Amino acid sequence: MGLLEGKTALIFGLANKNSIAWGVAQAFHREGATVGISYAGEILKRRVEPLAESIGCDFVEECDVSKDEDIEAIAAKAAERFGKVDIIIHSIGFANRDELKGPFYNTSREGFHLAMDISVYSFVALARAFQPLMNPGGAMISMTYHGSVKVTPNYNVMGVAKAALESSTRYLAHDLGPQGVRVNAISAGPIRTLAAAGVSGFKAMYKAFEEMAPLHENVTIEDVGNAAVFLSSNLSARTTGEVFYVDAGYNIMGVPDTSKD
Ligand code: NAD
């Protein structure tokens, strides 16, 4: 029997087969969950629909999380279709490319607001919309990156957004704890996705990561999917408000190991 048998999960942020959301969707399907998928914009529909179909998912809904009416609409559709929901995955982030290079002090006011709105506030808005639908024992998960606590050149406003996302995760864990719903963040190491391609110097950072991480391996969407299974299942029943690292140990290192050079 799968670890998520009998549970219904809604996954936000599927763009293509490289998306972290796809790693999560596949792992959830493998573990017996009923999966619903949300994507942003007509352009992605063509990519998302065949992926959804391949895991037997027929709840595939568009939702631009910058629009309150879209969030309300998808919550209403989910209520109509599933009644209650057990798992919400927020795998969404966005900042203008211009903000993801050069000095952080060049961040524009508009770019700051946009990154915070799409990458952080949307998690709060989704939590509010789905809170009445959540079954006790349910879980919400956001996707973060270590640039929230340590400076990652070029990551800039996304680092600040991830700090706010992690903090929002803790506040939401406090809010939803009394109804038996847990809220955690997964902090993944760099993965080659559409979102990551927007960060200047990502390729070099990806390579350096593998060299420095204790496990000397890059992280895959399958790794994140498996961690999401753990954090959504009863195996993590007493864990909430945490940032769970899936990063081959990178975050424990202070400096690169030069002893073998
Ligand atoms: P991705 O590009 O596949 O996913 C990002 C998703 O955000 C896309 O599906 C995109 O459509 C969606 N999105 C953007 N604006 C939206 C809006 N207005 N409404 C709804 N959705 C919107 O890239 P990914 O790397 O899988 O990113 C998923 C999450 O994982 C993000 O929060 C990202 O910051 C985080 N993350 C990524 C990495 C990495 O290295 N790839 C590492 C750690 C954390």
Side-chain angles (χ1 to χ4, degrees):
M1 185 166 151
L3 286 165
L4 301 179
E5 211 76 55
K7 291 190 190 276
T8 299
L10 284 186
I11 301 173
F12 290 82
L14 182 61
N16 56 39
K17 66 176 175 40
N18 301 316
S19 293
I20 289 177
W22 182 233
V24 176
Q26 287 175 291
F28 279 13
H29 174 64
R30 183 192 73 213
E31 296 299 335
T34 299
V35 174
I37 284 173
S38 176
Y39 64 95
E42 197 55 28
I43 305 167
L44 294 180
K45 192 175 183 179
R46 195 167 47 88
R47 290 234 166 76
V48 169
E49 280 186 343
L51 292 175
E53 203 178 312
S54 74
I55 56 165
C57 160
D58 59 3
F59 185 92
V60 188
E61 294 292 338
E62 191 176 340
C63 175
D64 177 346
V65 294
S66 68
K67 296 182 181 152
D68 286 335
E69 60 273 24
D70 276 25
I71 293 178
E72 279 162 27
I74 196 169
K77 280 181 188 160
E80 196 183 312
R81 174 65 181 276
F82 301 115
K84 294 281 181 181
V85 171
D86 301 281
I87 303 162
I88 297 290
I89 302 294
H90 178 279
S91 191
I92 290 172
F94 186 80
N96 281 329
R97 256 172 191 264
D98 287 355
E99 312 288 356
L100 301 175
K101 60 180 179 207
F104 170 61
Y105 58 64
N106 281 338
T107 305
S108 68
R109 190 182 298 274
E110 197 191 334
F112 190 92
H113 287 164
L114 183 67
M116 294 297 270
D117 186 29
I118 309 282
S119 317
V120 187
Y121 181 73
S122 62
F123 188 45
V124 182
L126 284 178
R128 184 169 60 251
F130 282 92
Q131 175 266 329
L133 304 184
M134 294 296 289
N135 276 323
M140 296 189 183
I141 298 175
S142 60
M143 296 297 167
T144 188
Y145 174 66
H146 193 47
S148 58
V149 285
K150 297 286 176 191
V151 172
T152 304
N154 300 315
Y155 198 59
N156 297 352
V157 70
M158 276 309 291
V160 175
K162 291 304 188 192
L165 181 67
E166 291 172 15
S167 184
S168 301
T169 298
R170 289 186 285 272
Y171 276 90
L172 292 171
H174 169 257
D175 285 349
L176 300 184
Q179 71 179 80
V181 172
R182 300 176 297 103
V183 189
N184 291 289
I186 293 176
S187 186
I191 301 174
R192 288 196 185 110
T193 64
L194 210 58
V199 182
S200 179
F202 179 82
K203 239 184 187 170
M205 190 239 246
Y206 185 83
K207 192 165 172 284
F209 176 93
E210 186 180 6
E211 278 162 21
M212 185 153 140
L215 291 174
H216 297 296
E217 278 177 314
N218 277 107
V219 171
T220 67
I221 61 170
E222 286 75 24
D223 296 329
V224 181
N226 287 333
V229 168
F230 168 68
L231 287 173
S232 302
S233 76
N234 298 336
L235 289 180
S236 62
R238 304 288 170 264
T239 300
T240 194
E242 293 296 330
V243 176
F244 186 86
Y245 275 86
V246 180
D247 71 340
Y250 183 92
N251 77 93
I252 67 165
M253 299 300 292
V255 291
D257 181 0
T258 52
S259 62
K260 292 180 203 86
D261 289 353

